[in-house]
Amino acid sequence: MIVLKMLKGDKIILRIVKPSDATLLFLWESNVENRIITKSQSKISLFFIRELIDNQMDIHLNHQLRFIICLKDNMNTPIGTLDLYDVDFDSNESKIGVLIADKKHRNKGFADEALKLLVNYCKNELNILNLFSIIHAKNSASIYLFEKNRFKEIKSIDNEKIYFLCLKKE
């Protein structure tokens, strides 16, 4: 079971997604621009989102964990999501994705801080040492974000770039 309630940074807080977030997540996932960023090919249903939220209570069983990114000065202001998915504890690896859903909150360092918090959590709490991100080739903001955080491009397929970060235990 997840015992984590939240991760705190200087400007943001990462909290576990909860059932009351379902409608907001549905709106974000339904936004055409966000679907391009997140590589979602088809619309997702509210039922499916609720099911994902209900089923993520144990990352070891469901192999995923979604956080809501909130502004620290107002925890009632969710601005995006940060996801661990395809988590494999046997190989100590996971895919990671980030979305700042509202344009007015982009390019302010929130995604950078969220990514740093989650990378540290993966390394120090989950023992996930290999992180991958699959980014649309035209998503220059995400490419910059992951490269800034030491992820290296390891493969390019069609319109996607795969980035990798290997964490080492001190």
Side-chain angles (χ1 to χ4, degrees):
M1 287 295 277
I2 298 171
V3 292
L4 171 74
K5 295 290 183 197
M6 64 181 63
L7 300 172
K8 295 179 183 180
D10 293 331
K11 298 184 282 186
I12 57 123
I13 291 172
L14 300 178
R15 65 165 173 78
I16 299 296
V17 68
K18 45 190 183 182
S20 61
D21 295 318
T23 301
L24 179 62
L25 290 173
F26 174 74
L27 294 172
W28 287 348
E29 297 276 353
S30 298
N31 179 294
V32 174
E33 183 180 312
N34 290 345
R35 284 197 355 245
I36 291 169
I37 291 170
T38 60
K39 304 177 310 338
S40 178
Q41 300 301 317
S42 59
K43 289 188 176 182
I44 196 165
S45 71
L46 185 56
F47 174 81
F48 183 72
I49 289 173
R50 285 186 177 137
E51 194 172 73
L52 285 174
I53 292 170
D54 291 342
N55 289 330
Q56 80 157 12
M57 290 302 126
D58 190 338
I59 190 173
H60 294 278
L61 292 176
N62 299 303
H63 311 286
Q64 65 183 20
L65 184 59
R66 176 170 269 192
F67 291 90
I68 297 291
I69 304 168
C70 296
L71 297 177
K72 190 172 185 179
D73 59 356
N74 184 354
M75 282 187 50
N76 295 322
T77 305
I79 62 169
T81 62
L82 189 58
D83 298 301
L84 285 177
Y85 61 101
D86 294 342
V87 178
D88 183 340
F89 287 101
D90 291 330
S91 61
N92 297 333
E93 65 185 36
S94 179
K95 292 185 181 103
I96 187 170
V98 62
L99 170 68
I100 302 297
D102 190 334
K103 286 183 182 181
K104 72 180 180 183
H105 294 295
R106 293 181 185 160
N107 300 311
K108 296 187 177 183
F110 300 131
D112 183 59
E113 187 173 340
L115 185 58
K116 283 177 172 56
L117 286 170
L118 193 56
V119 165
N120 284 333
Y121 178 70
C122 285
K123 177 181 175 182
N124 297 320
E125 302 298 325
L126 298 176
N127 199 35
I128 295 173
L129 302 177
N130 299 302
L131 294 171
F132 297 87
S133 184
I134 303 169
I135 304 171
H136 192 284
K138 293 183 180 178
N139 187 345
S140 57
S142 284
I143 290 169
Y144 174 77
L145 170 68
F146 281 88
E147 287 180 349
K148 178 181 176 187
N149 282 279
R150 301 176 302 133
F151 282 74
K152 303 292 183 212
E153 182 181 345
I154 59 169
K155 195 177 216 180
S156 185
I157 304 170
D158 297 323
N159 292 326
E160 295 179 340
K161 293 178 178 256
I162 301 173
Y163 281 81
F164 172 71
L165 176 65
C166 179
L167 303 169
K168 295 181 181 175
K169 287 285 193 179
E170 310 319 319

